[in-house]
């Protein structure tokens, strides 16, 4: 055994036993569950556009605290501040998740061999979570940063962003990556912390949610594109 492999063995076993590793595991699960639940709410709020422009308008005004303003219109600063908070949670989640990434080509090859060797469904789920996590590392901050710098949301303002500012290009990649990542993540946390013993049943729920969220997400994206095509620029915000 050479010095390098000795060191890596030492680091491996040291990290397994260290209290920091257990803490990092908890932080990863807690931030992951927060983000997974946020995504479930987010995609439902956002796809209220499928019920019409007015429905989406009211959802946005409600979330931005319209009931506290004399005009009934919400405050985009609420979106800005909340987006900064979500960005912080994403950064913490990614930082603790990074330690699980196979760092070297050799480790990737071993992982692939392992995946071919055993046909265990949870290993495949873990692999897809790793791949989608890598994609999200680049895509999620772009979207969250846009919501921090340009937090104006509404049927016309969102359609302008999706269609005229070409955000659909980002969303079409972000949607499958985040939906797969989040649903596999919630499944794995539920199994890991012993919430259920019925893995097969839970896997079915996760698969159903992946398809369902993809469908409502894609249909919403198409709605924004249609609304965007009919807009004349510069856009005036929608008022019912
Ligand atoms: C608090 C922070 C966030 C806010 C305020 C926000 C807001 C929005 C809004 C308003 C849209 C509709 C289109 C538009 O106006 O551009 C949208 C779309 C989308 N967001 Fe977010 N978002 C946030 C965080 C996230 C995060 C963390 C993710 C996942 C990593 C995410 C994933 C998506 C996806 C996939 C779409 C496209 C949905 C579709 O295809 O129908 N968002 N977001």
């Amino acid at each position: 055994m050479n010095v390098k492999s000795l060191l890596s063995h030492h680091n491996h076993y040291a990290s397994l036993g260290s209290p920091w590793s257990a803490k990092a595991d908890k932080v990863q699960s807690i931030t992951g569950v927060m983000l997974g639940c946020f995504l479930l709410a987010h995609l439902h709020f956002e796809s209220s556009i499928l019920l019409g422009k007015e429905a989406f308008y009211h959802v946005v005004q409600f979330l931005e605290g319209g009931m506290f303003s004399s005009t009934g219109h919400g405050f985009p600063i609420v979106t800005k501040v909340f987006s900064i908070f979500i960005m912080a949670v994403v950064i913490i989640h990614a930082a603790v998740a990074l330690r699980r990434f196979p760092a070297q080509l050799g480790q990737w090859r071993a992982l692939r061999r392992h995946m071919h060797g055993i046909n265990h469904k949870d290993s495949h789920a873990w692999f897809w979570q790793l791949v989608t996590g890598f994609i999200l590392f680049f895509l999620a901050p772009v979207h969250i940063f846009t919501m921090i710098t340009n937090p104006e949301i509404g049927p016309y303002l969102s359609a302008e962003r999706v269609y005229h500012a070409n955000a659909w290009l980002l969303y079409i990649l972000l949607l499958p990556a985040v939906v797969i990542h989040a649903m596999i993540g919630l499944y794995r946390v539920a199994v890991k912390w012993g919430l259920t013993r019925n893995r097969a049943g839970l896997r079915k729920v996760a698969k159903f949610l992946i398809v369902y969220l993809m469908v409502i997400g894609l249909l919403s994206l198409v709605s924004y594109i249609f609304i965007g095509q009919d807009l004349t620029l510069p856009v005036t915000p929608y008022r019912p």
Side-chain angles (χ1 to χ4, degrees), residues 38 42 46 79 82-83 143 147 153 158 161 171 178 217 221:
F38 165 75
H42 176 337
E46 188 258 331
T79 300
F82 189 67
S83 302
H143 173 50
M147 301 318 303
I153 302 172
S158 292
R161 183 166 33 235
Y171 295 151
V178 76
L221 215 50

Side-chain angles (χ1 to χ4, degrees), residues 2-143:
N2 61 25
V3 177
K4 200 175 160 205
S5 55
L6 243 174
L7 272 178
S8 82
H9 267 73
H10 172 78
N11 286 343
H12 176 65
Y13 289 109
S15 74
L16 276 182
S18 82
W20 151 246
S21 185
K23 253 189 213 135
D25 241 27
K26 257 196 200 123
V27 172
Q28 197 180 345
S29 294
I30 291 166
T31 51
V33 169
M34 281 168 76
L35 292 169
C37 294
F38 165 75
L39 186 79
L40 278 168
H42 176 337
L43 289 181
H44 282 98
F45 291 143
E46 188 258 331
S47 56
S48 61
I49 194 71
L50 296 174
L51 303 175
K53 293 174 199 157
E54 200 170 335
F56 183 59
Y57 172 85
H58 286 300
V59 167
V60 175
Q61 297 315 314
F62 173 75
L63 292 174
E64 290 188 339
M67 60 284 216
F68 300 113
S69 78
S70 52
T71 57
H73 302 309
F75 310 96
I77 183 84
V78 174
T79 300
K80 196 189 258 289
V81 172
F82 189 67
S83 302
I84 293 171
F85 168 72
I86 289 292
M87 186 70 143
V89 180
V90 168
I91 290 172
I92 296 170
H93 184 73
V96 282
L98 270 180
R99 83 210 141 94
R100 291 179 187 264
F101 251 81
Q104 294 164 342
L105 194 61
Q107 288 176 306
W108 272 107
R109 287 204 179 118
L111 179 64
R112 295 277 307 268
R113 264 201 309 276
H114 172 75
M115 298 249 312
H116 282 298
I118 57 159
N119 197 18
H120 192 272
K121 290 197 172 79
D122 284 2
S123 300
H124 288 259
W126 184 77
F127 178 76
W128 283 111
Q129 217 192 359
L130 203 71
V131 172
T132 50
F134 181 75
I135 296 171
L136 287 173
F137 195 77
F138 300 95
L139 299 187
V142 179
H143 173 50

